[in-house]
Amino acid sequence: GPPGVGKSAVARRLIERLPETLLIDKDLTAGGFVLEAATLRGETADRAYAAPHYWQKLRPLEYAGPTALACANLVGRRQVLLVGGWGPELGVDHLWTELGARIAPAQLSVIHFDAPALENWRSRLAARGSRCDSPYFENLAQATGSLPVWQGATRVNNNAPLTTVLQRILDILGSLAQAENP
């Protein structure tokens, strides 16, 4: 899902409730790398993720490392939560089907957080210190709201308190586990 919709917050709560679960947060593993690369290129931090160099060169690397780490940690009954704000690649079917085939017999489950109501989303971004001024925020909302979502992803309405969203995710994970082991 887009930035500031609660992916990391829900994931941190999930690992408290799910035994044998590893959390890999893409922002924590790669965010510093992207910002440092922007600095080295003479770009400001607020432009780090908007530059063509990021989309063409850095973004594939930014996701490759955490994805490889997640795959390498699929051992035994361990669950791995890979949290990241996926972009246009979220709608690329072959990316997800190929990843699912590579990790088999482990199951790939993609959960997408839809953005909450605009003012709720803006206040979440502000609370975490992220940029939410106009017209920046409106442009972000429009750009991320129009991204395609893989048809195999489970979409979650995130316009609710954290405890409600957490319960929705636990219910989804329980349903997925039952479908895998009838």
Side-chain angles (χ1 to χ4, degrees):
V5 298
K7 299 177 302 289
S8 297
V10 169
R12 284 190 301 271
R13 299 285 292 276
L14 278 173
I15 62 169
E16 295 170 1
R17 295 181 180 208
L18 299 174
E20 300 181 45
T21 300
L22 173 67
L23 170 61
I24 300 171
D25 190 319
K26 188 274 308 169
D27 288 343
L28 294 177
T29 62
F33 153 76
V34 172
L35 294 174
E36 180 64 19
T39 299
L40 292 172
R41 291 182 52 76
E43 298 167 348
T44 59
D46 65 330
R47 297 282 309 145
Y49 291 91
H53 184 259
Y54 166 74
W55 286 98
Q56 295 164 2
K57 303 291 184 185
L58 300 181
R59 189 165 176 88
L61 299 173
E62 177 186 26
Y63 282 88
T67 302
L69 183 61
C71 292
N73 277 280
L74 286 171
V75 294
R77 299 190 50 81
R78 181 182 292 155
Q79 296 181 95
V80 177
L81 301 175
L82 174 56
V83 179
W86 301 84
E89 60 277 335
L90 185 59
V92 179
D93 287 336
H94 73 84
L95 171 74
W96 302 103
T97 54
E98 289 172 12
L99 181 56
R102 263 189 263 141
I103 66 170
Q107 179 184 351
L108 173 68
S109 302
V110 176
I111 299 174
H112 180 269
F113 282 18
D114 290 329
L118 286 179
E119 288 312 309
N120 187 2
W121 188 11
R122 185 190 304 266
S123 67
R124 288 181 187 183
L125 286 170
R128 74 179 209 177
S130 296
R131 190 170 172 190
C132 58
D133 57 301
S134 293
Y136 175 85
F137 172 73
E138 291 80 7
N139 291 335
L140 171 74
Q142 181 179 15
T144 59
S146 64
L147 293 174
V149 177
W150 177 49
Q151 63 186 1
T154 302
R155 296 183 79 154
V156 174
N157 177 334
N158 195 22
N159 203 27
L162 179 60
T163 55
T164 303
V165 176
L166 178 64
Q167 188 57 55
R168 288 177 185 162
I169 300 300
L170 288 168
D171 293 344
I172 290 167
L173 293 174
S175 296
L176 293 170
Q178 284 179 341
E180 182 182 349
N181 301 312

